[in-house]
Structures are given as structure tokens and as C-alpha cells.
Amino acid sequence: MEPIHILKIIGSLALLMYGMKVMSESLQKMAGSQLRHVLGAMTTNRVSGVLTGMFTTVAVQSSTATTVMTVSFVNAGLLTLVQAISVIMGANIGTTLTAWIMSAGFSFNIVDFVWPTFFIGIILIYSKKRKLIGDFMFGLSFMFLGLGTLRQTGIDMDLGHNQHILQFLSNFDPESFLTTILFLIIGSVLTLMVQSSAAIMAITMILCSSGVLPIYQGVALVLGENIGTTVTSNLAALTANTPARRAAMAHMVFNVFGVIWVLCIFKPFINLVSGWVGFDVDMTKADPNFLANTAKLSFVLAAFHTTFNVSNTLILIWFIPQLEKLVSWIIKPKENKEDEDFRLRFIQVGIMRTPELSVLEAQKEIGSFGERIQRMFSMVRSLLGDMDDKKFVEVYSRIEKYEGISDNMEIEIAKYLDQVSVAHLSDDTKGKIRAMLREISEIESIGDSCFNMARTIKRKREGKEDFTEQQYEHIHQMFELTDDALTQMNYLFAHDKQHLDVNRSFNIENEINNFRNQLKTQNISDINNHLYTYGIGTMYMDIIQECEKLGDYVVNVVEARMGTRKQEA
């Protein structure tokens, strides 16, 4: 085997993988948020879930993208695990289209069609409106160029007469079940190493169609690819939350179950599929039609891949609730530590994702950030209640810890959004990221205000003087208004902004401002009338002023979230 041939194989596989990546990303960008709406709206039952997963994967040419999107939806509470399992089943069927595209690429010289597609693609790339179509055509061309080069290299190498390869394969008994298991493991390991089942499928097709690899060993490699690709998603989900890990595990259980039952009826199943394609499994090399027969092998592999996934789905679709119970038993929930521990709930690291998904996850994380800040404010309110010194110190320490969490969450979400912004984004997505950066900055400022109030209350407690009953009443009234503002802010995070009215938030802020002005005037009058000292009046107004500042930060968050500005009176 000449070094140039090895380099050509490596290079053509790289072209193939890069082409699929570009093609998939451009399709996802073209589909945009519509994909999310389809996934959310069309998974009402298990059959529609399977169809949704299948068509989404066909549309974006990436089962990984569909699976990751589905996992994100489970994470965000938009899909149940049962719905997610049905979508993942559909994604397994949808991804088999790639094998059919490859088999077409191996059946004739597809490179001839690549060059004009490149030319049209580059024209479209320089046209702003049709740039994504140009990207898609470039990706498709790279993929077919890689396939065509791989096919031609296989022909040039004359693998069917290569003594080294033939001698290596002669060590394995093609009739042995152990050989099938060995090739299944090889397929899994190779897929895990290359991180692309499509690349290993292409190698399998070139080995089979050149007559080197018997059909049964080729199919064993394909089965191995099915398991290998699920190991990748499980490794990626190790750092994710429980629903994400369960969805990834369901993907693995689905494929492993399929491999087990196919191995039980291995040869009859392959012979059945071969019969549909018109491939003769018993033909020997001595037969003059041997080469024409082996040329059909790429189609046999594609047909097997589709039949295997469709059959497996038809069997397991009736057992989705049981599959959910099994993965829930395998993946136990992570120990639910006290919420004071800093952790991101929705943003997952390690899983391949698209800008559209990343923006969705970041928005969910910001919603979680808002809920934490409101809990922090509730703790501040409790400091004014009746509690002993030990309890006061405990609550104050929790508030201090929440202030640190607030700083960390702002930094981590901002870092994540910064990574997302490196990708080629639409103007709409860029606008969303700018708005979210403003949201997290303002929410962190709310955390600062809460901590400032806690410090003022602590300072008052350490002094000799106390607030009057009227001051306590006014502070509680202001706290009630401030809590209403935070509740409304979190309501806006939890609902689709198209159907929301921001005036409620603006009205609460006006109430806070007016109440602050009223109390400010009254405070000066009360100090002059010697109802309380200037020192206690200052601490009292510090809390009131901090609530008013907090209200301003809430309005800033609402404006960023809704893309509107408050009309000044």
C-alpha cells in the first residue's frame, strides 16, 4: 500500500466529515427557530415524536444535532423524557439517509457533478441573502468530493487483490460468530476514535464494494458504528444534568437492544435485506459477475442500516414507558445539594451544539439566575423578622454566599455567550446575545442591592437603636412592591414574550419611585420632629433607596428581555 494512497484516504475522509459539518450547520441556520417549534409542537404522542425526530434529522443531516436539541428540550422542561425517547428513535431512522447518499456516491463517479456545484456555491456565498444556501452547496460538494476521492482511491489501490489485506482477513473465519462480534467491537472503537459514524460507514462501503470485506463482516462494522455513536453522546453527557444523561442512555439502550436481537437472527436478516437489493450472498470470486455483484454492496449496507433502525423502532415504540423506567433506574438523580452550591442548571458543557440551541439554553439559565436572585431577596426580607442571633448569622451567611453565586453566574453565562458569539450568527441571534449580556449584568446588580440591604440591616442590628413600628411597616410595604417587580420579571422569563405585556413591570416601578419619594419627604419631617435619630433615619432610607435601585435594575432586565424601552413621563 503506497503512502500516497493512505494520505488520499485520510484527506478524503477529512473532506467528507468537514462537508457534512458545513452542510448540517447551514441547514440548521436556515431552519433556525422553526426547528425548535416543530420539535416542541409535534411530539404529542410517540408516533408523531418518531416522525418529528426522523424529519428533523433528514432536514439537518445530523442525528447528533437532533439528539442534542432533544436533550436540551428535556433539560428546559419543554419535552418529557418519554417524548424525547421517541424523537431519538426517529433520529436514528433519519440518519440512515446519509448511508443512502454515500451508496449513491460509490455507485458512479459523482465528482463530475461537484465542480459546477462549487462554482454556484461560491457565487451564492458572496450574495448576502443566499449565503446559507451557498454554504450548504459547498458542504454538499465537499462531502461528494470526499466520497468520490475515496471511491477512486479504492479502485486505484485494487484492494480486492491486495495481499496484505487479504492475508489479514484470512485470519478470521467468516462463518464464525466470534468474528462477527470482533468486527462489531472494531466498528464501535473506530467510531469512538474518529467521532464520525459517517466516516466509518464510508470506509466500510469502500472495503465491501471492492470485494475485500465479506457482507457479514461489513454489516457487523455497521452495527458497531451504531453503538459507537451512542458511546460518544454518553461521554459528552457525563457533565450534564440527570435528564440529559438519561436521554443519552436511552439512545444507547435503544441501539444495544437492536444489536442484540439482530445478532440472534444475523444471517437470515442480512440475506433478507440482500434479496431486496438483488445481491447474491453465495456468489464466489470465480463467478464472472462477482464484481458487478459486489458493486451492490454499498446499497446492501444502506438498506440494512435503514431496515435495522426502522425494525428496532417498530419493536421498541410500544415499550417507551418501560424504556424510560429502565434508564431512570440506570441513571440515578445527582445528589440534590443545597441550592447555595454554585452550579449551572441548563448550560451543558461537552455536548456539541448549535448557536440556536446555545441561545435557548443561555436564556433558560438566565431565568434560573432570576429565580435565585428572588430567593436571595426573600432571605433579606426574613432578616427583619424575629430571629435569634444564631439564626440571623446563618441567614446572613447564606445571603453572602448567594452574592458570590450571583457574581459567578454572571461570569459563567457571559463566558458561554462569548463562546457562542464566535460562530457565524444571524443578526437576530446577535441581538439576542447582546440583550442577554445586558440581562445578566443587571441581575447581578440586583444581587448587589440585596447584599447592600442585608449589610444595612446587620449594621442596624449591631447598633443600639431600632426602627419604629411605622418604619418597619413602610419597609415591608416597599419590600412587597420590590418582590412584585421580581415576580413579574421572572414571569417574563418563563413565558413567550410575544404574548406578554411589559406595562405591569413599568407600573410597579412607578409605584416604587413614588413611594420612595413620599418616604424620603416624610423621613426628613420625622427626623425634624425628633421621632427618631438621624442615624436610624439614614439606615432606614438606605434600605428604601436600595429597593428603588433594585426596581430600576429590574426594569432594565425587562427592557433587555422584551426589546422595548419604558416611555418616560
Side-chain angles (χ1 to χ4, degrees):
M1 192 182 292
E2 294 179 30
I4 188 67
H5 288 145
I6 296 171
L7 291 173
K8 274 189 176 181
I9 287 173
I10 294 169
S12 54
L13 282 174
L15 262 182
L16 168 73
M17 289 160 69
Y18 178 72
M20 288 200 71
K21 180 177 180 287
V22 171
M23 187 174 75
S24 174
E25 285 179 356
S26 58
L27 281 166
Q28 288 172 61
K29 285 176 190 172
M30 278 192 273
S33 58
Q34 281 83 356
L35 275 180
R36 288 194 337 206
H37 296 316
V38 166
L39 265 181
M42 291 187 63
T43 51
T44 49
N45 59 59
R46 62 187 81 181
V47 176
S48 65
V50 168
L51 292 173
T52 303
M54 184 174 76
F55 289 122
T56 305
T57 305
V58 167
V60 299
Q61 274 302 288
S62 170
S63 61
T64 308
T66 306
T67 306
V68 168
M69 208 181 303
T70 306
V71 167
S72 300
F73 276 24
V74 176
N75 205 10
L78 300 174
L79 284 181
T80 64
L81 185 57
V82 169
Q83 289 171 316
I85 291 169
S86 65
V87 173
I88 288 168
M89 286 179 176
N92 272 276
I93 298 172
T95 195
T96 62
L97 178 68
T98 308
W100 285 104
I101 293 170
M102 286 183 180
S103 61
F106 277 102
S107 60
F108 61 93
N109 190 10
I110 206 159
V111 176
D112 296 341
F113 298 93
V114 164
W115 310 117
T117 315
F118 269 128
F119 179 68
I120 296 165
I122 197 70
I123 293 170
L124 293 174
I125 282 172
Y126 283 102
S127 158
K128 268 196 172 182
K129 286 183 180 177
R130 296 179 179 84
K131 181 182 180 302
L132 289 175
I133 300 172
D135 285 342
F136 167 74
M137 292 183 76
F138 246 65
L140 193 66
S141 303
F142 275 129
M143 188 181 90
F144 281 137
L145 181 60
L147 279 173
T149 310
L150 200 61
R151 171 182 175 269
Q152 191 55 49
T153 306
I155 294 168
D156 295 343
M157 287 168 71
D158 191 18
L159 291 171
H161 299 94
N162 188 300
Q163 290 306 312
H164 297 293
I165 295 174
L166 292 173
Q167 192 175 348
F168 171 73
L169 291 172
S170 67
N171 296 323
F172 304 102
D173 178 8
E175 301 299 318
S176 169
F177 184 71
L178 282 174
T179 302
T180 302
I181 296 295
L182 182 64
F183 274 83
L184 188 146
I185 294 167
I186 290 170
S188 300
V189 172
L190 285 175
T191 305
L192 197 56
M193 287 168 61
V194 180
Q195 295 279 299
S196 170
S197 57
I200 307 304
M201 176 64 86
I203 291 172
T204 308
M205 283 183 174
I206 196 172
L207 289 171
C208 286
S209 57
S210 58
V212 174
L213 197 64
I215 178 63
Y216 299 119
Q217 277 70 62
V219 167
L221 282 176
V222 172
L223 286 175
E225 290 155 23
N226 275 274
I227 293 176
T229 196
T230 66
V231 173
T232 305
S233 61
N234 273 274
L235 288 173
L238 281 177
T239 55
N241 66 4
T242 304
R245 286 157 58 229
R246 282 176 177 168
M249 180 54 69
H251 191 198
M252 177 179 270
V253 170
F254 172 79
N255 279 4
V256 169
F257 174 81
V259 168
I260 290 168
W261 72 255
V262 163
L263 286 175
C264 295
I265 52 165
F266 192 59
K267 288 192 176 179
F269 191 80
I270 295 169
N271 294 344
L272 177 70
V273 174
S274 300
W276 292 342
V277 178
F279 173 78
D280 186 352
V281 291
D282 298 317
M283 191 177 287
T284 61
K285 288 187 178 182
D287 196 298
N289 296 319
F290 177 75
L291 285 177
N293 193 44
T294 53
K296 296 176 185 174
L297 266 171
S298 59
F299 286 104
V300 175
L301 290 172
F304 170 81
H305 198 206
T306 303
T307 310
F308 163 71
N309 280 296
V310 170
S311 305
N312 203 24
T313 299
L314 289 174
I315 293 168
L316 283 179
I317 195 171
W318 311 106
F319 301 99
I320 288 177
Q322 287 76 14
L323 188 54
E324 182 204 21
K325 284 177 185 171
L326 177 62
V327 295
S328 298
W329 176 75
I330 296 170
I331 306 285
K332 299 284 190 292
K334 288 179 179 176
E335 198 177 329
N336 192 15
K337 295 179 182 176
E338 220 182 342
D339 198 55
E340 281 86 88
D341 288 341
F342 167 65
R343 61 190 173 88
L344 297 177
R345 285 175 59 203
F346 297 102
I347 289 174
Q348 300 163 25
V349 277
I351 299 185
M352 190 184 81
R353 52 211 338 100
T354 60
E356 181 68 33
L357 275 173
S358 301
V359 167
L360 171 74
E361 291 192 345
Q363 191 61 64
K364 286 284 171 186
E365 199 64 68
I366 292 169
S368 172
F369 192 5
E371 288 170 11
R372 284 186 191 224
I373 287 296
Q374 189 163 11
R375 280 198 293 278
M376 183 182 181
F377 180 70
S378 298
M379 289 178 217
V380 174
R381 292 181 74 177
S382 71
L383 289 179
L384 282 179
D386 291 326
M387 59 173 72
D388 57 33
D389 289 344
K390 185 183 174 186
K391 181 68 177 171
F392 184 91
V393 170
E394 185 186 312
V395 175
Y396 183 83
S397 297
R398 287 181 71 195
I399 292 168
E400 203 167 18
K401 199 165 187 181
Y402 261 64
E403 211 276 327
I405 291 173
S406 167
D407 292 343
N408 285 333
M409 285 196 78
E410 182 194 14
I411 291 164
E412 290 302 317
I413 297 171
K415 270 166 51 179
Y416 184 72
L417 289 171
D418 186 50
Q419 288 170 4
V420 175
S421 62
V422 172
H424 297 292
L425 306 172
S426 64
D427 291 339
D428 181 46
T429 307
K430 284 177 187 171
K432 283 180 185 174
I433 289 175
R434 280 195 299 272
M436 284 191 279
L437 287 169
R438 186 182 171 202
E439 285 168 29
I440 58 173
S441 171
E442 298 294 343
I443 294 173
E444 193 277 329
S445 295
I446 294 172
D448 291 342
S449 282
C450 290
F451 189 48
N452 289 340
M453 281 186 261
R455 284 193 300 188
T456 303
I457 295 168
K458 186 184 178 206
R459 200 164 74 247
K460 186 272 300 177
R461 190 180 177 98
E462 289 167 351
K464 293 176 183 177
E465 293 181 90
D466 197 3
F467 295 139
T468 65
E469 277 188 34
Q470 192 182 41
Q471 283 178 316
Y472 271 117
E473 191 182 325
H474 290 155
I475 291 171
H476 286 306
Q477 284 174 346
M478 181 60 98
F479 277 175
E480 197 60 42
L481 283 171
T482 310
D483 194 57
D484 284 350
L486 288 167
T487 301
Q488 187 61 21
M489 177 188 83
N490 285 322
Y491 180 82
L492 295 179
F493 280 137
H495 293 80
D496 191 355
K497 66 181 184 180
Q498 273 81 10
H499 310 294
L500 295 172
D501 180 17
V502 293
N503 289 322
R504 171 78 180 135
S505 291
F506 295 155
N507 291 340
I508 295 170
E509 200 241 350
N510 284 336
E511 284 184 59
I512 291 172
N513 288 347
N514 293 336
F515 194 41
R516 186 275 315 261
N517 293 339
Q518 178 191 327
L519 294 180
K520 192 176 179 182
T521 306
Q522 190 178 344
N523 181 58
I524 295 167
S525 172
D526 288 346
I527 291 171
N528 288 336
N529 292 329
H530 305 292
L531 295 181
Y532 44 80
T533 64
Y534 183 81
I536 203 76
T538 304
M539 284 188 273
Y540 164 64
M541 278 314 296
D542 281 349
I543 295 172
I544 299 299
Q545 295 276 27
E546 209 61 64
C547 283
E548 191 276 328
K549 270 194 212 170
L550 195 154
D552 289 342
Y553 297 139
V554 168
V555 165
N556 292 342
V557 173
V558 169
E559 286 178 347
R561 166 85 177 115
M562 303 300 290
T564 56
R565 292 195 66 80
K566 182 185 174 186
Q567 298 298 314
E568 297 297 336

